[in-house]
Amino acid sequence: MNLIAGHWTPALSGETFARRNPADPDDVIGEFPQSGRADVAAAVDAVAEGAGAWAAAPADERARVLVRAAELLEVRRAELTAELVREEGKTPAEAAVETSRTPLNLRFYAAEAHRIGGETYQADSTLVYTWREPVGVVGAITPWNFPLNIPSRKLGPALAAGNGVVFKPSPVTPLTAQRLVEALLAAGVPPGALALVHGGAEPGAALAEDPRVGAVTFTGSTAAGRDIHRKVGPERRAQLEMGGKNPVVVLPDADLGRAARLIVKGAFGLSGQACTGTSRVIAPPEAHDALLERVVKLAQEHEMGPLAADFQLRKTLEYVRVGQEEGARLVSGGQRRDGRGFFVTPAIFAEVTPGMRLAREEIFGPVLAFQRAADFDEAIALANGTDYGLAAGIVTHDVRRALEFARRSRSGLVKVNQPTTGMAMNAPFGGIEQPFKEQAGPALMHFYTHQKTVYLSE
Ligand code: NAD
């Protein structure tokens, strides 16, 4: 159901869509409203009208509510983990990481409610100070690959700052989104300050276009993010977190066992469906074959859940076909496994050259491309040679090379001897080319607040 003005309601059109278990598509998880523009307008009406009381609530109260929501999620952790496995297709271990991280995010942003502050300036005898206040209505549009975690990193700070939020989750994970909203409501977020609108791109676009939505925070594909950016325009603010084509460069001195472990974790964890997932390995001639062999062996042993949806399965198999057609060598995997669910085996290609689609396009599935680099400079050029700039990794014991890589890498996140996936909740995160990249870190609350400069004379 949608949540509008505190009421759980169907779409105004009465239309619904079904979500099914990706491991067993006969298992229907539920029917959810197929919302349209009118539903979004009603949700924005309700939040524009109702968010004032929340904005006026003391920071202490807003923080308490977020902590209480975290507690409610913690109490239901086992159930939420099982639902996440069933709805999204994460393995139980992967789902458990997410259901433990989301309450921590809410606690973290609860504390941010107290940290919102300003500065004072000396200007003759005038007192000049800055003051931050909520933007008003925030639109949050989220993907399915972290259906609790990513929304908690948007709803948490938006609510902590005193905004009202209209939340449009992915249609792939509507139930999990609903669970987060239920916890926030039960914890005491006033019904007027939070709305949930289910559905796909149509309600997402309507939310981005609505001039009453002062800030739109989006995570998802680059194409949708660019579209949303155009719709929001220069008058309002947009925070966009988009795709990646993330490389790991392995230097000749690297411990190949360690390199293989972190590559496989980054490439095939979450069935390859992570924005910071490793999709390319760039290796020198002296290490290439031995590394490839180790990666293949580990990948074959790696437990992978199903892909999240039939479109994910089709896209992955399509790229396996494209890679072969382009002349890359399929070394391992890339086959459908189990005729019912959306399972595939981890695909590993070698002899991938920079012009190939396999080297340039985000696949967002378990497909890994090996590229050869003659030397360090060529490795950096290959690593930087895509339109994306989200995450990049290097494996080496040579600190000087690692620092040079960090300096020359065209990516927002650089990992040394770590998988490209995974990040700290308190550090800035975002792609290098993406607007308002502070999706976390000290400047994040600036996105959710307006700054005023006040001049005071007696
Ligand atoms: P998606 O872009 O298809 O959808 C994301 C959200 O946007 C969904 O809620 C969807 O309904 C909505 N949407 C789609 N088109 C829209 C439009 N034109 N206008 C408004 N809303 C629209 O992405 P997805 O398949 O859900 O997620 C996978 C993508 O997300 C990958 O590209 C991945 O790299 C990216 N991602 C990025 C990060 C990050 O932090 N950089 C994190 C996770 C996922």
Side-chain angles (χ1 to χ4, degrees):
M1 287 289 180
N2 288 340
L3 177 76
I4 297 178
H7 302 293
W8 292 101
T9 53
L12 289 165
S13 66
E15 283 178 37
T16 60
F17 65 92
R19 175 59 188 157
R20 293 164 184 275
N21 178 344
D24 174 8
D26 292 339
D27 174 22
V28 177
I29 286 160
E31 294 277 338
F32 298 87
Q34 186 70 273
S35 310
R37 294 186 161 268
D39 300 290
V40 172
V44 178
D45 283 347
V47 173
E49 165 106 18
W54 179 245
D60 204 26
E61 167 67 8
R62 298 198 300 269
R64 231 194 323 264
V65 166
L66 290 176
V67 169
R68 175 96 187 102
E71 288 165 357
L72 292 172
L73 293 174
E74 277 156 356
V75 168
R76 297 189 61 188
R77 184 170 167 219
E79 201 183 323
L80 287 168
T81 302
E83 281 182 354
L84 195 50
V85 170
R86 185 170 164 232
E87 182 172 58
E88 192 208 330
K90 280 195 169 83
T91 64
E94 290 165 347
V97 170
E98 181 161 2
T99 55
S100 62
R101 179 69 177 257
T102 296
L104 294 179
N105 284 338
L106 293 179
R107 289 175 189 280
F108 181 86
Y109 291 113
E112 289 289 328
H114 294 289
R115 289 202 194 96
I116 297 167
E119 289 153 348
T120 57
Y121 295 86
Q122 283 171 251
D124 301 327
S125 61
T126 308
L127 169 64
V128 180
Y129 67 92
T130 59
W131 175 259
R132 289 201 166 269
E133 51 194 34
V135 168
V137 181
V138 169
I141 304 173
T142 56
W144 45 263
N145 68 328
F146 285 102
L148 272 181
N149 209 24
I150 290 177
S152 73
R153 288 160 60 92
K154 297 182 182 301
L155 275 55
L159 291 167
N163 295 286
V165 181
V166 178
F167 173 29
K168 208 301 287 173
S170 167
V172 177
T173 46
L175 179 64
T176 309
Q178 198 152 310
R179 296 297 187 231
L180 178 62
V181 170
E182 285 166 3
L184 288 164
L185 267 193
V189 173
L194 180 60
L196 169 67
V197 184
H198 286 292
E202 189 190 335
L207 187 57
E209 273 168 13
D210 195 312
R212 295 168 300 169
V213 178
V216 177
T217 172
F218 165 83
T219 300
S221 62
T222 301
R226 289 192 176 141
D227 189 36
I228 287 171
H229 201 200
R230 274 191 300 275
K231 292 194 162 85
V232 172
E235 309 282 318
R236 296 178 293 130
R237 47 181 81 181
Q239 180 193 53
L240 308 171
E241 281 302 337
M242 306 185 283
K245 186 69 190 169
N246 314 300
V248 168
V249 170
V250 178
L251 294 190
D253 73 296
D255 169 345
L256 294 188
R258 182 178 188 187
R261 284 193 297 280
L262 64 86
I263 287 166
V264 167
K265 182 160 193 235
F268 303 119
L270 307 173
S271 307
Q273 302 170 121
C275 57
T276 50
T278 305
S279 66
R280 296 179 293 143
V281 174
I282 299 167
E286 52 270 55
H288 181 282
D289 293 357
L291 179 65
L292 178 61
E293 195 178 311
R294 283 171 188 258
V295 168
V296 166
K297 184 164 181 298
L298 275 185
Q300 286 169 349
E301 293 162 3
H302 182 82
E303 190 203 343
M304 239 177 35
L307 297 171
D310 53 352
F311 66 85
Q312 280 292 98
L313 176 70
R314 280 198 303 275
K315 187 172 57 159
T316 300
L317 295 177
E318 170 66 7
Y319 272 102
V320 170
R321 190 188 62 74
V322 165
Q324 289 170 291
E325 240 174 53
E326 287 181 313
R329 176 163 63 91
L330 179 62
V331 183
S332 174
Q335 275 94 40
R336 187 162 184 190
R337 175 172 74 75
D338 170 343
R340 270 156 70 83
F342 307 134
F343 293 91
V344 288
T345 51
I348 300 172
F349 279 91
E351 318 312 337
V352 175
T353 53
M356 292 181 182
R357 289 177 60 195
L358 224 49
R360 290 184 287 113
E361 298 176 9
E362 182 182 49
I363 300 172
F364 210 63
V367 182
L368 181 63
F370 268 70
Q371 298 179 270
R372 287 177 194 269
D375 56 28
F376 188 53
D377 284 333
E378 191 187 8
I380 293 180
L382 287 174
N384 288 343
T386 71
D387 293 338
Y388 296 95
L390 187 55
I394 186 163
V395 190
T396 181
H397 294 300
D398 185 337
V399 175
R400 197 174 55 80
R401 287 289 202 210
L403 291 176
E404 184 177 348
F405 180 76
R407 201 166 53 243
R408 291 172 62 188
S409 174
R410 233 196 105 264
S411 69
L413 192 70
V414 178
K415 296 284 201 81
V416 179
N417 297 325
Q418 289 191 13
T420 49
T421 48
M423 64 211 179
M425 74 171 66
N426 56 349
F429 168 74
I432 203 151
E433 83 292 6
Q434 299 173 3
F436 212 97
K437 68 173 279 198
E438 303 295 329
Q439 194 189 162
L444 174 74
M445 297 307 283
H446 293 182
F447 179 75
Y448 294 104
T449 50
H450 282 303
Q451 181 171 262
K452 246 179 207 169
T453 308
V454 182
Y455 287 68
L456 178 70
S457 284
E458 288 172 22

